[in-house]
């Protein structure tokens, strides 16, 4: 009997070893080839327009992965974003709607990119599920193994087009080659079970978040969870408040079986250290009025899906944060946009495309509805396009913009400010005007594609600004004109563009502009993304104290020197506006809690330093391929929450609904704890505290002078208890909005614990 049992056990073990499927085998089982070009044709891939002949078959083995052929894409001369070089309109392989990953080999010859700073490839799927789902990877010289994870919900319905889009810093000097386009498919479902337990006590952990592929699960009261998911190899992540995060790098799900993860033990986080500090509030020292309308502005972008500007849920969420001042049409489209047709131009004179969310069919109805929701308080900040179309002279462009201003006012939109152009300091290849000839002014001359480095010259921009301001004010004396709108507040002139490479002795854009345009300018407009790399949270959270406290005194000095020194302009007030701002590159940090901490502190610092207007960039832009996005809401990627709020949305909720309208003096002796204070219209004292370290509770002794304070109050808190981002799901897995907390034992002196990595707003009655 014993021998029989031993035999059966050995047989079972050998059988399991022989027939168990490895992770590699499971992955290989679901790999399929989409296009390998072994037919000797481009298999449906082709360019359009100027690049109609860009796609051809290559036989040079140096650029072939397997077989005899690959796809050659001649992108010579292509610069910046180009979606015309390679597209496929089908018919598509039957598996095209079941992909979870796409893989391709891309060969980049050194001669094609010599002297270029960067080159990128986007794979874009256009389907009934999502008309523009893009994924990105940086390209390097040589063979690139491109592998991009796909959210299948974005492509599961009818496929219309697939594009290979290139984006580059300078023009390509030759072709790239593509081969072996493969994909990983969704498998048939299998059941997954498991249980979470606390390691020390063995008790089940309830309400924890378990992420398996694109599934988000919640554990039951005893810590158990189960789901069905397609056969594949998955990474499993577990996040539970108060416990260390845990992940399983490879978990195999077999179709038609119950796949038990087993018991997963979580370790409780240690109680963070407490750092004592002092916060002082002086109610009698009012620093300034806070114009919420001007300081809590936002940017739309014409490329956004129009649903975000039509849907009642979206509009209610914008109403909640009092989004009343809106800049349009968004970023560089300000230099490319035709307000009447909705067309977006190319710099060379051609038409790029016509977004669905255009001025007449999208923006005007949106602003009218928001005006009704906000009780008639909305306002538009239009960007005046002075750089395109190529066929129009600068004077004709300005006159056309004046018609736009009139049209907006005729339609009942409020327009009190206009901005001349967008980021001219990095527009070296936009064509400039030919030299003036007898009988014609410089602004009446045609443009030439041979005239480059024109707009990056501050003196040229200033000439255009002065003419635009003169003509606009002649038509609308009440309009305030804004410029020069450089990419960063302290950028200096570099004719070749890339102003961050400017010589140290080069003129500052703002200073030289004020010298040239002091009689015409009403508002200094700049942009700032203070840590563009966005790769160091600690460095980012230092920026609010390193930026406007330094810039503002310089700006005030230049205003006094170049404007208030002019006879008749001694008392002229020049406002200072951030018409775009956010942290930096649209990677994962823009979606995480850290971006909320940065935005709360940066906006507070700008207000305290004396800034007048600010427009966050932006409402909806998301970049799944990069892991983040500047948008405060997400239209597409969270099936559990329509128009899902990102962490920095809640910053505007706190400022608009909890912070006050008069800034008062507030200070902290803890460098990791930024503090701002205000008075509300109903005379409450408000304290906003941003604890910027993950390591310590800020145990603050709060001392308030200049007023009596009641014995209780309310607090609102945003921390990792209220917001947790999932990199794998590309959406928040915890997103409740700020918690409301009743606080007692307050007064003119009391203690409060500000949690690590948190924003807290306290309201106290006087």
């Amino acid at each position: 009997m014993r021998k029989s049992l031993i035999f059966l056990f050995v047989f079972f073990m050998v059988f399991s070893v022989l027939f168990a499927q490895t992770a590699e085998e499971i992955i290989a089982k679901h790999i399929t080839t989409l296009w390998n070009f072994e037919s000797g044709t481009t298999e449906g891939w082709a360019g359009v327009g100027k690049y109609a002949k860009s796609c051809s078959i290559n036989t040079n083995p140096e650029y072939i992965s397997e077989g005899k052929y690959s796809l050659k894409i001649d992108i010579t001369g292509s610069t910046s974003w180009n979606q015309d070089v390679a597209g496929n309109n089908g018919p598509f392989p039957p598996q095209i709607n079941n992909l979870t990953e796409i893989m391709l080999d891309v060969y980049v010859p050194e001669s094609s990119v010599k002297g270029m700073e960067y080159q990128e490839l986007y794979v874009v799927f256009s389907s009934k599920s999502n008309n523009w789902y893009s994924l990105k990877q940086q390209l390097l010289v040589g063979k690139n193994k491109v592998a991009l994870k796909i959210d299948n919900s974005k492509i599961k319905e009818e496929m219309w087009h697939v594009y290979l889009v290139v984006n580059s810093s300078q023009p390509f000097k030759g072709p790239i080659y593509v081969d072996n386009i493969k994909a990983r498919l969704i498998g048939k479902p299998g059941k997954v079970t498991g249980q979470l337990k606390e390691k020390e006590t063995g008790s089940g952990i309830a309400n924890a978040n378990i992420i398996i592929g694109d599934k988000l699960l919640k554990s039951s009261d005893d810590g158990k969870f189960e789901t069905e998911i397609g056969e594949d190899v998955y990474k499993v992540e577990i996040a539970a408040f108060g416990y260390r995060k845990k992940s399983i790098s490879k978990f195999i799900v077999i179709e038609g079986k119950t796949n038990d993860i087993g018991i997963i033990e979580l370790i409780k986080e240690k109680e963070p250290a407490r750092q004592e500090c002092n916060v002082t509030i002086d109610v009698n020292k009012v620093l300034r009025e806070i114009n919420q309308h001007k300081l809590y502005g936002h940017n739309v972008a014409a490329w956004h899906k129009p649903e975000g500007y039509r849907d009642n849920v979206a509009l209610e969420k914008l109403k909640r944060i009092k989004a009343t001042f809106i800049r349009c049409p968004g970023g560089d489209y300000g230099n490319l946009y035709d307000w009447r047709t909705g067309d977006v131009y190319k710099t060379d004179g051609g038409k790029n495309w016509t977004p669905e969310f255009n001025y007449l069919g999208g923006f005007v109805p949106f602003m009218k509805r928001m005006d009704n929701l906000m009780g008639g308080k909305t306002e538009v900040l239009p960007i005046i396009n002075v750089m395109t179309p190529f066929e129009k002279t600068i004077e004709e462009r300005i006159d056309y913009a004046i018609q736009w201003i009139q049209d907006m006012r005729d339609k009942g939109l409020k327009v009190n400010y206009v901005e001349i152009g967008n980021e001219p300091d990095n527009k070296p290849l936009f064509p400039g005007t030919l030299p003036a000839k007898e009988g014609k002014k410089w602004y009446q001359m045609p443009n030439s594609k041979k005239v480059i480095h024109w707009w990056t010259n501050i003196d040229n921009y200033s000439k255009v600004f002065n003419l635009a301001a003169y003509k606009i004010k002649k038509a609308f004396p009440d309009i305030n004109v804004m410029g020069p709108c450089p990419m960063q507040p302290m950028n200096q002139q570099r004719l070749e563009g890339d102003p961050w490479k400017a010589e140290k002795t080069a003129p500052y854009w703002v200073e030289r502009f004020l010298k040239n345009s002091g009689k015409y300018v009403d508002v200094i407009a700049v942009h700032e993304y203070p840590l563009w790399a966005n790769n160091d949270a600690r460095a980012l959270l230092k920026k609010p104290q390193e930026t406007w406290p330094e810039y503002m005194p310089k700006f005030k000095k230049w205003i006094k020197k170049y404007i208030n020194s002019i006879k008749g302009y001694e008392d002229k007030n020049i406002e200072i506006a951030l018409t775009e701002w956010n942290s930096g590159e649209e990677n994962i940090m823009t979606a995480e809690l850290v971006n909320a901490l940065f935005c709360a502190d940066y906006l507070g610092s700008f207000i305290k330093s004396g800034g007048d207007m600010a427009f966050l960039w932006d409402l909806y832009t998301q970049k799944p391929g990069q892991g983040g996005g500047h948008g405060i809401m997400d239209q597409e990627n969270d099936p559990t929450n329509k128009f899902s709020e990102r962490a920095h949305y809640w910053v505007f909720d706190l400022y608009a609904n909890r912070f006050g309208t008069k800034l008062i003096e507030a200070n902290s002796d803890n460098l990791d704890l930024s503090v701002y204070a205000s008075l509300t219209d109903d005379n409450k004292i408000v304290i906003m505290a941003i604890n910027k370290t993950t390591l310590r509770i800020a145990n603050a002794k709060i001392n308030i002078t200049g007023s009596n304070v009641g014995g209780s109050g309310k607090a609102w808190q945003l921390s990792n208890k209220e917001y947790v981002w999932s990199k794998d799901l590309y959406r928040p897995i915890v997103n409740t909005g700020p918690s409301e907390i009743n606080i007692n034992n307050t007064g003119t002196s009391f203690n409060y614990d500000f949690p690590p990595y948190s924003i807290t707003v306290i309201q106290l009655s006087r």
Side-chain angles (χ1 to χ4, degrees):
M1 181 68 180
R2 186 180 175 192
K3 287 182 179 179
S4 298
L5 289 173
I6 292 172
F7 173 79
L8 287 171
F9 175 76
V10 171
F11 175 81
F12 175 76
M13 292 301 294
V14 171
F15 182 88
S16 298
V17 170
L18 288 175
F19 293 96
Q21 298 183 72
T22 66
E24 290 72 20
E25 288 170 336
I26 291 291
I27 291 171
K29 178 180 176 181
H30 298 288
I31 297 291
T32 187
T33 298
L34 299 176
W35 298 280
N36 63 8
F37 310 105
E38 290 308 299
S39 63
T41 72
T42 64
E43 298 179 0
W45 289 93
V48 297
K50 179 180 175 181
Y51 294 91
K53 297 181 179 180
S54 61
C55 293
S56 62
I57 284 298
N58 165 66
T59 57
N60 183 346
E62 185 178 355
Y63 306 119
I64 296 173
S65 299
E66 296 177 13
K68 298 179 180 180
Y69 307 107
S70 65
L71 180 67
K72 176 182 177 181
I73 307 176
D74 189 356
I75 49 177
T76 304
S78 172
T79 187
S80 191
W81 179 272
N82 191 339
Q83 63 196 52
D84 293 344
V85 296
N88 197 313
N89 301 325
F92 295 106
Q95 313 96 320
I96 195 72
N97 302 110
N98 296 320
L99 313 186
T100 60
E101 185 176 17
I102 188 164
M103 299 152 282
L104 57 155
D105 298 332
V106 181
Y107 296 85
V108 180
E110 184 175 5
S111 58
S112 294
V113 295
K114 189 174 183 180
M116 292 168 60
E117 291 167 23
Y118 70 84
Q119 49 278 335
E120 301 167 330
L121 178 77
Y122 289 77
V123 179
V124 180
F125 296 93
S126 177
S127 70
K128 190 175 181 180
S129 303
N130 187 316
N131 64 8
W132 195 260
Y133 176 51
S134 66
L135 304 163
K136 181 188 92 165
Q137 185 164 314
Q138 199 83 16
L139 294 179
L140 303 174
V141 171
K143 183 178 180 179
N144 295 260
K145 301 288 288 185
V146 175
L148 300 166
K149 298 284 186 182
I150 295 171
D151 178 353
N152 182 257
S153 67
K154 302 294 188 298
I155 64 165
K156 64 184 178 182
E157 297 179 276
E158 180 187 356
M159 187 66 63
W160 299 330
H161 316 282
V162 180
Y163 301 95
L164 298 178
V165 178
V166 290
N167 185 36
S168 62
S169 55
Q170 287 91 17
F172 279 90
K173 298 177 177 64
I176 61 173
Y177 302 85
V178 175
D179 199 8
N180 220 18
I181 304 178
K182 296 184 176 183
R184 191 144 62 98
L185 306 176
I186 296 173
K188 293 180 181 179
K191 187 175 181 180
V192 176
T193 60
Q195 186 176 20
L196 303 180
K197 288 188 175 182
E198 186 178 311
K199 185 171 184 179
E200 289 183 2
T201 65
S203 58
I205 300 172
N207 205 37
N209 301 286
I210 305 100
I211 305 162
I212 308 174
D214 63 355
K215 296 270 189 175
L216 173 61
L217 314 175
K218 293 280 186 180
S219 59
S220 61
D221 290 345
D222 57 0
K224 291 182 179 179
F225 59 89
E226 66 175 59
T227 189
E228 283 196 344
I229 194 168
E231 180 177 89
D232 209 334
V233 180
Y234 294 98
K235 179 181 179 182
V236 181
E237 288 195 354
I238 301 101
F241 182 72
Y243 294 87
R244 293 182 191 174
K245 287 185 178 180
K246 190 163 186 175
S247 63
I248 299 168
S249 59
K250 288 183 180 180
F251 178 68
I252 299 173
V253 175
I254 305 296
E255 66 179 67
K257 293 185 177 181
T258 296
N259 305 269
D260 187 27
I261 297 178
I263 293 172
I264 303 170
E265 294 182 321
L266 300 186
I267 299 172
K268 291 201 80 168
E269 290 181 335
K270 292 181 180 178
E271 182 72 17
R274 297 161 65 84
Q275 181 178 2
E276 293 184 356
C277 59
N278 295 291
V279 170
T280 57
I281 311 292
D282 188 346
V283 176
N284 287 332
K285 193 168 184 181
V286 177
L287 303 179
R288 60 168 297 177
E289 298 285 331
I290 299 172
N291 188 321
Q292 294 182 325
H293 169 70
K294 287 185 177 182
L295 285 162
Y296 306 158
H298 296 273
N299 275 270
V300 304
W303 57 82
H304 290 161
K305 281 190 167 185
E307 287 78 12
Y309 301 97
R310 296 171 181 167
D311 191 281
N312 290 337
V313 173
L315 268 59
E316 283 297 326
K317 289 188 176 185
L318 293 176
K319 177 184 176 182
R320 174 175 177 145
I321 60 171
K322 300 178 183 176
T324 57
F325 207 171
I326 305 294
R327 180 176 179 254
C328 72
D332 274 347
Y333 276 26
N335 302 322
L336 301 165
Y337 193 67
D338 186 315
W339 66 269
R340 183 171 279 131
T341 66
D343 294 340
V344 177
Y345 298 113
K346 297 179 181 179
T347 57
D348 64 4
K351 186 178 94 169
N352 190 350
W353 72 305
T354 305
E356 186 179 352
F357 179 59
N358 53 50
Y359 168 67
L360 292 172
F363 185 73
V364 171
F366 161 67
M367 289 302 297
K368 298 284 279 185
R369 286 188 65 191
M370 283 300 296
D371 202 52
N372 288 334
L373 285 172
M374 301 307 300
K377 296 178 181 178
T378 60
E379 183 177 346
V380 181
L381 172 59
I383 307 168
I384 300 304
N385 178 6
V386 291
M387 296 190 191
T388 59
F390 178 80
E391 294 77 16
K392 287 186 178 180
T393 67
I394 286 173
E395 183 175 41
E396 288 170 337
R397 295 168 188 166
I398 294 170
D399 290 342
Y400 190 56
I402 289 171
Q403 294 175 35
W404 186 26
I405 298 169
Q406 186 62 59
D407 190 81
M408 283 187 278
R409 288 190 164 186
D410 289 345
K411 288 179 168 57
L413 305 187
K414 297 180 184 68
V415 184
N416 298 310
Y417 294 83
V418 297
E419 186 175 22
I420 309 301
N422 183 79
E423 298 183 354
D425 54 331
N426 199 29
K427 300 295 175 287
L429 301 182
F430 275 64
T433 64
L434 291 168
K437 289 183 178 179
E438 187 175 348
K440 278 194 174 183
K441 305 286 188 181
W442 64 270
Y443 48 81
Q444 298 169 330
M445 293 298 296
N447 305 288
S448 171
K449 296 172 186 177
K450 295 181 180 179
V451 180
I452 59 173
H453 303 168
W454 196 90
W455 289 97
T456 46
N457 183 306
I458 304 172
D459 293 342
N460 287 338
Y461 171 82
S462 298
K463 285 196 304 182
V464 176
F465 179 91
N466 295 349
L467 177 67
Y470 171 78
K471 291 177 78 76
I472 290 169
K473 284 176 176 289
K474 186 176 180 181
F476 310 100
D478 59 327
I479 288 275
N480 295 282
V481 187
M482 309 166 71
C485 198
M487 299 176 75
Q488 303 281 12
M490 301 305 295
N491 271 3
Q492 294 168 266
Q493 178 176 279
R494 186 174 186 266
L495 297 180
E496 299 84 357
D498 300 342
W500 52 90
K501 297 179 180 177
E503 297 290 336
K504 291 182 179 179
T505 56
Y508 288 98
W509 260 83
V510 170
E511 182 182 20
R512 183 64 167 256
F513 166 75
L514 291 178
K515 183 178 180 181
N516 293 337
S517 304
K519 289 185 177 181
Y520 297 92
V521 64
D522 300 299
V523 184
I524 297 172
V526 296
H527 295 173
E528 185 163 45
Y529 301 84
L531 188 68
W532 185 253
N534 238 359
N535 56 2
D536 185 332
R538 288 175 298 179
L540 175 65
L541 294 177
K542 291 179 181 177
K543 289 298 181 181
Q545 283 69 49
E546 297 173 349
T547 50
W548 285 101
E550 294 184 16
Y551 308 154
M552 197 64 76
K554 292 179 181 178
F555 281 22
K556 296 292 187 181
K557 179 181 176 182
W558 292 339
I559 291 168
K560 185 175 181 180
K561 180 177 180 179
Y562 297 112
I563 297 178
N564 297 145
S565 61
I566 301 172
K567 188 174 181 180
Y569 290 76
E570 294 87 352
D571 299 321
K572 182 173 175 62
N573 178 52
I574 302 296
E575 292 181 287
I576 295 171
L578 268 167
T579 52
E580 284 184 24
W581 69 276
N582 209 307
S583 53
E585 177 68 286
E586 292 179 273
N587 57 31
I588 190 171
M589 277 178 51
T590 53
E592 293 179 318
L593 183 62
V594 63
N595 206 42
L597 303 185
F598 162 77
C599 287
D601 198 9
Y602 183 85
L603 183 56
S605 179
F606 180 70
I607 294 170
K608 189 172 183 178
S609 298
D612 298 289
M613 305 168 73
F615 300 80
L616 183 78
W617 182 266
D618 64 3
L619 288 181
Y620 289 113
T621 297
Q622 305 300 335
K623 298 288 181 68
Q626 295 174 239
H630 286 142
I632 60 169
M633 291 194 291
D634 186 346
Q635 298 194 58
E636 304 175 75
N637 298 291
D638 190 346
T640 67
N641 182 10
K642 197 174 184 183
F643 302 102
S644 177
E645 302 90 348
R646 291 288 175 86
H648 48 308
Y649 170 93
W650 299 115
V651 171
F652 285 86
D653 178 42
L654 290 171
Y655 266 109
N657 297 306
R658 309 302 177 196
F659 207 59
T661 54
K662 291 181 180 177
L663 192 72
I664 58 177
E665 185 66 35
N667 293 290
S668 163
D669 64 4
N670 179 352
L671 293 177
D672 288 326
L673 186 72
S674 293
V675 177
Y676 305 95
S678 64
L679 300 175
T680 65
D681 289 339
D682 59 355
N683 220 23
K684 288 187 175 71
I685 300 168
V686 185
I687 304 165
M688 177 180 284
I690 302 111
N691 188 352
K692 299 183 285 185
T693 177
T694 59
L695 303 176
R696 292 176 293 277
I697 295 169
N699 174 229
K701 184 175 183 181
I702 300 173
N703 293 294
I704 300 172
T705 59
S707 176
N708 293 324
V709 179
S712 63
K714 283 190 179 295
W716 291 266
Q717 174 185 294
L718 183 69
S719 68
N720 63 1
K721 186 177 181 180
E722 292 80 22
Y723 185 90
V724 179
W725 177 257
S726 168
K727 177 182 177 181
D728 291 316
L729 290 183
Y730 190 70
R731 68 176 192 257
I733 56 175
V734 178
N735 193 17
T736 63
S739 297
E740 185 174 322
I741 304 164
N742 292 318
I743 56 175
N744 298 307
N745 302 316
T746 61
T748 56
S749 182
F750 65 98
N751 283 67
Y752 194 89
D753 283 347
F754 296 105
Y757 243 45
S758 66
I759 306 166
T760 305
V761 174
I762 298 173
Q763 279 191 0
L764 303 168
S765 296
R766 300 173 70 177

